[in-house]
Amino acid sequence: MTEIDPVARLIAIEEIKQLKARYFRLMDTKDYAGLRTVFADDAVFDAACSLSIEPAEDTENWIHQGGDNIAAFVEAAVDPLRTVHHGHCHEIEVLSATEARGVIAMEDKIWDAQGKLFLHGMGHYHETYRKDGGAWRIVTSRITRLHVILGE
Amino acid sequence: MTEIDPVARLIAIEEIKQLKARYFRLMDTKDYAGLRTVFADDAVFDAACSLSIEPAEDTENWIHQGGDNIAAFVEAAVDPLRTVHHGHCHEIEVLSATEARGVIAMEDKIWDAQGKLFLHGMGHYHETYRKDGGAWRIVTSRITRLHVILGE
Amino acid sequence: MTEIDPVARLIAIEEIKQLKARYFRLMDTKDYAGLRTVFADDAVFDAACSLSIEPAEDTENWIHQGGDNIAAFVEAAVDPLRTVHHGHCHEIEVLSATEARGVIAMEDKIWDAQGKLFLHGMGHYHETYRKDGGAWRIVTSRITRLHVILGE
């Protein structure tokens, strides 16, 4: 592994934290064009543990390939709902000037159109990142769950 | 815009994160003299979206000018109550050696004197900061909401 | 106090944030061997305010000395339960190349084996850290509470 300049490493960590902050904010404010830009064109998003600690059996509905498909999936999933996602305690490891990986603790709350809490989940994102054209983007993202409450 | 030294930029971001951490902690521990110091003398605090996604109509009760007035407003609002505020996913942009702006995701919970949850809110702070006399302070702060639950 | 190089200070802060992130993640994923490594051999953990704003009277059950004892205490306390801990708004002050202290806002939720929420707490960790053998570890950790709800 190439040695990374300490300042470049700190800058990469801060940029990836802000990348993930935009992911949460742009999803919750329903800015799907903005959300598209946080994912690489070849990104893979594995949301099979969205509703439960165990992965959903219909994985084809929950694992999406390509930034366009991911943004379309998220839009279809959250657009009719009110969502709040929070990220905590980023553990980001910079592997090279253009590659990194990370684990981010998360909590999400989703209310249906009637204002009823539909889902309250807690877990982690396991992710890889790539810097391309001057900007870090999410390349792979997989959700694991500590706990999920449905229909609270 | 003047070029900012990368290390100076990282230091500013960390100092502003800790400034906002003090804002939350000093409010929740009811240290209003400490809370006063996080605001610039000429600060403006727009809390019109405290209780709802839509701004309150009586904006004069929710928008406060001057650090002294802001600290007095917060004290009057939260002193009889038990409050917990959390900040997440800071997006801080350093504009110059003495100016910055940021968006911070937030969650607040407020219980009344009988221990009943009075408010549970989620949203963002949209802020500007200025470094003056060696310390960063909040110059403008405006709350927007993703969701607010009253009287849960 | 010796002057600390600004970049070394930023690196220490980031490493301590990731140390605390591992504390939360390893506890919640029940990796107690991993959890052991975040504490110094001579660490002291004061969890007397786990269940209430006021410290428990049986402090011998809540204050533990030594990394091995702390890891064993946490394992006994949380292993039969489902736990989620979140850390927010780290205020970390680097005192020297090998010493630091910090305050971290926190929220914890604990469910019993029947899926009933047993505890929902909010407060702060007050901690000191030491770098030894190339790695930062927690030397002292004390919980204070803003609010605790039991048996919600």
Side-chain angles (χ1 to χ4, degrees):
Chain A
M1 187 162 52
T2 37
E3 200 63 37
I4 304 156
D5 171 70
V7 173
R9 182 178 160 271
L10 290 168
I11 292 171
I13 289 172
E14 177 60 28
E15 288 180 351
I16 292 167
K17 286 180 182 174
Q18 295 205 17
L19 170 75
K20 193 65 189 171
R22 289 197 301 277
Y23 164 84
F24 290 123
R25 179 173 55 80
L26 296 168
M27 176 164 37
D28 289 340
T29 58
K30 304 190 184 304
D31 178 348
Y32 307 111
L35 184 67
R36 170 65 186 88
T37 69
V38 308
F39 289 102
D41 289 348
D42 60 341
V44 179
F45 185 45
D46 178 348
C49 289
S50 288
L51 302 182
S52 161
I53 289 190
E54 298 301 322
E57 291 185 8
D58 57 333
T59 52
E60 69 278 12
N61 295 322
W62 297 98
I63 303 179
H64 293 274
Q65 307 214 8
D68 291 342
N69 289 331
I70 294 167
F73 161 66
V74 173
E75 177 170 353
V78 309
D79 197 57
L81 306 168
R82 190 164 287 185
T83 66
V84 176
H85 290 77
H86 284 155
H88 319 265
C89 278
H90 305 63
E91 299 175 68
I92 294 164
E93 185 184 359
V94 182
L95 302 170
S96 76
T98 57
E99 294 164 298
R101 62 183 171 210
V103 181
I104 297 107
M106 60 88 73
E107 177 171 11
D108 52 350
K109 292 180 180 170
I110 303 181
W111 291 266
D112 66 16
Q114 284 72 46
K116 184 168 156 41
L117 189 62
F118 162 67
L119 178 145
H120 182 189
M122 289 138 279
H124 295 90
Y125 288 91
H126 304 258
E127 303 193 310
T128 59
Y129 312 97
R130 191 174 61 225
K131 191 171 188 177
D132 200 9
W136 288 95
R137 293 198 166 82
I138 298 170
V139 177
T140 65
S141 182
R142 183 172 60 87
I143 295 172
T144 58
R145 288 297 200 180
L146 294 168
H147 195 54
V148 181
I149 300 165
L150 293 174
E152 197 172 53
Chain B
M1 188 163 49
T2 38
E3 199 62 37
I4 304 155
D5 171 70
V7 174
R9 183 179 160 271
L10 290 169
I11 292 171
I13 289 172
E14 177 60 28
E15 289 180 352
I16 292 167
K17 286 180 182 175
Q18 295 205 17
L19 170 74
K20 194 65 189 171
R22 289 196 302 277
Y23 164 82
F24 290 123
R25 179 172 56 80
L26 296 168
M27 175 163 39
D28 288 341
T29 58
K30 303 189 183 304
D31 178 348
Y32 307 111
L35 185 68
R36 170 65 186 89
T37 69
V38 308
F39 289 101
D41 289 349
D42 60 341
V44 179
F45 186 45
D46 178 349
C49 289
S50 289
L51 303 182
S52 160
I53 290 190
E54 297 301 322
E57 289 185 11
D58 57 333
T59 52
E60 68 279 12
N61 294 323
W62 297 98
I63 303 178
H64 293 274
Q65 306 214 10
D68 291 342
N69 289 333
I70 294 167
F73 161 65
V74 173
E75 178 170 352
V78 309
D79 198 57
L81 306 168
R82 189 165 289 185
T83 67
V84 175
H85 290 76
H86 284 155
H88 318 266
C89 278
H90 305 63
E91 297 176 69
I92 294 165
E93 187 184 358
V94 182
L95 303 170
S96 76
T98 57
E99 294 165 297
R101 63 184 170 207
V103 181
I104 297 109
M106 61 87 73
E107 177 171 10
D108 53 350
K109 292 179 178 172
I110 304 182
W111 291 267
D112 66 17
Q114 285 71 46
K116 185 169 155 41
L117 188 63
F118 162 66
L119 178 145
H120 181 189
M122 288 139 279
H124 295 90
Y125 287 91
H126 304 258
E127 303 193 311
T128 60
Y129 312 98
R130 190 175 61 225
K131 191 171 189 179
D132 199 7
W136 287 95
R137 293 198 166 83
I138 298 169
V139 178
T140 64
S141 182
R142 182 172 60 87
I143 296 172
T144 58
R145 290 296 202 180
L146 293 169
H147 197 52
V148 181
I149 300 165
L150 292 174
E152 195 171 51
Chain C
M1 186 162 51
T2 39
E3 200 61 39
I4 303 156
D5 171 70
V7 174
R9 181 178 161 273
L10 289 169
I11 292 171
I13 289 172
E14 178 60 29
E15 289 180 352
I16 293 167
K17 286 180 182 175
Q18 296 205 16
L19 171 75
K20 193 65 189 170
R22 289 196 302 277
Y23 163 84
F24 289 123
R25 179 172 55 80
L26 296 168
M27 175 163 38
D28 288 340
T29 58
K30 304 191 183 304
D31 178 349
Y32 307 111
L35 185 67
R36 170 64 185 89
T37 69
V38 307
F39 289 103
D41 290 348
D42 60 341
V44 179
F45 186 46
D46 178 348
C49 288
S50 290
L51 303 183
S52 162
I53 289 189
E54 297 300 322
E57 291 185 10
D58 58 333
T59 52
E60 69 278 12
N61 295 323
W62 295 98
I63 302 178
H64 293 274
Q65 306 213 7
D68 291 342
N69 289 332
I70 294 167
F73 161 66
V74 173
E75 177 170 354
V78 309
D79 198 57
L81 306 168
R82 190 164 287 184
T83 67
V84 175
H85 290 76
H86 284 155
H88 318 264
C89 278
H90 305 65
E91 298 175 70
I92 294 165
E93 186 184 0
V94 182
L95 303 170
S96 76
T98 57
E99 294 164 298
R101 64 184 170 209
V103 182
I104 297 109
M106 60 88 73
E107 177 170 10
D108 52 351
K109 292 180 179 171
I110 304 181
W111 292 267
D112 66 18
Q114 284 71 47
K116 185 170 153 43
L117 189 63
F118 163 68
L119 178 144
H120 182 189
M122 289 138 280
H124 296 89
Y125 288 91
H126 303 258
E127 303 193 310
T128 60
Y129 312 97
R130 191 175 61 226
K131 191 172 188 178
D132 200 7
W136 287 95
R137 293 198 166 81
I138 298 170
V139 177
T140 64
S141 182
R142 183 172 60 87
I143 296 172
T144 58
R145 290 297 201 180
L146 292 169
H147 196 52
V148 182
I149 300 166
L150 293 174
E152 195 171 52

